[in-house]
Amino acid sequence: KILGKKFVVSSSMGHIMDLPKSKMGIDIEKDFTPEYIMIPGKKKIVDALKKEAVDSDSIFLATDPDREGEAISWHLANLLGKKKKIYRIAFHEITRTAIEAAIGNPGKIDMNMVDAQQTRRILDRLVGYSISPLLWRKVGRGLSAGRVQSVAVRLVVDREKEISIFVPEEYWQIEAELK
């Protein structure tokens, strides 16, 4: 409504691509390349977005202004924008002023944010795929250790090990001014 009839506003309803649930989905031999697939149940949404994009010269992506939103924009751009001008816009409030300012000052997808999200997702998967079977055996079936918390716990444990094996060495530093 704010942008008028020359804009069609649609939603992806969140992520449209993810790593497959049934396997690791990361090619460790090829620089940890993720294997993305369309999330089951998103085909209708993606097809509708593709249909709307056909008649558009430009696509403005306005996903959340965080790394997850940036990754969603990147996936959308790859699916919709092969021959389109893709713009990334961000606003923090749904007001005429904020939206018009965002449209008037479009940017590009921030690949550093996309890489940060991918790294977090890959770490979740690498650690989670290793730890989850252990959880199933020891605690209960269906539990998942694939969230970033598992990675954080591992970092804390590794650091704690370093601290515990540290052997302090006493030393003195003496400074003097003499005449």
Side-chain angles (χ1 to χ4, degrees), residues 59-61 86-90 102-103 105-110:
I59 298 172
F60 291 82
L61 300 169
I86 301 289
Y87 299 103
R88 177 73 169 100
I89 60 171
I103 291 288
N105 190 25
K108 294 180 180 176
I109 294 171
D110 182 345

Side-chain angles (χ1 to χ4, degrees), residues 147-167:
R147 298 301 304 151
V148 76
Q149 293 86 339
S150 303
V151 177
V153 169
R154 183 173 181 168
L155 291 172
V156 168
V157 169
D158 289 349
R159 183 67 178 133
E160 188 61 33
K161 284 179 185 174
E162 288 177 18
I163 291 168
S164 67
I165 63 171
F166 176 74
V167 179

Side-chain angles (χ1 to χ4, degrees), residues 59-78:
I59 298 172
F60 291 82
L61 300 169
T63 52
D64 288 347
D66 58 13
R67 66 179 179 220
E68 295 295 324
E70 212 69 25
I72 293 168
S73 284
W74 181 66
H75 287 298
L76 286 166
N78 288 328

Side-chain angles (χ1 to χ4, degrees), residues 15-21 23-27 32-40 67-68 70-72 74-75 78-79 111 113-123 125:
H15 283 280
I16 55 167
M17 305 293 285
D18 197 7
L19 301 173
K21 288 184 186 257
K23 61 181 182 173
M24 178 72 77
I26 298 162
D27 191 340
F32 297 90
T33 304
E35 173 197 331
Y36 289 111
I37 62 166
M38 189 177 305
I39 295 172
R67 66 179 179 220
E68 295 295 324
E70 212 69 25
I72 293 168
W74 181 66
H75 287 298
N78 288 328
L79 282 174
M111 287 309 296
M113 295 271 278
V114 173
D115 290 343
Q117 189 276 343
Q118 283 193 58
T119 301
R120 185 203 57 82
R121 189 69 184 98
I122 289 168
L123 282 172
R125 182 56 62 95

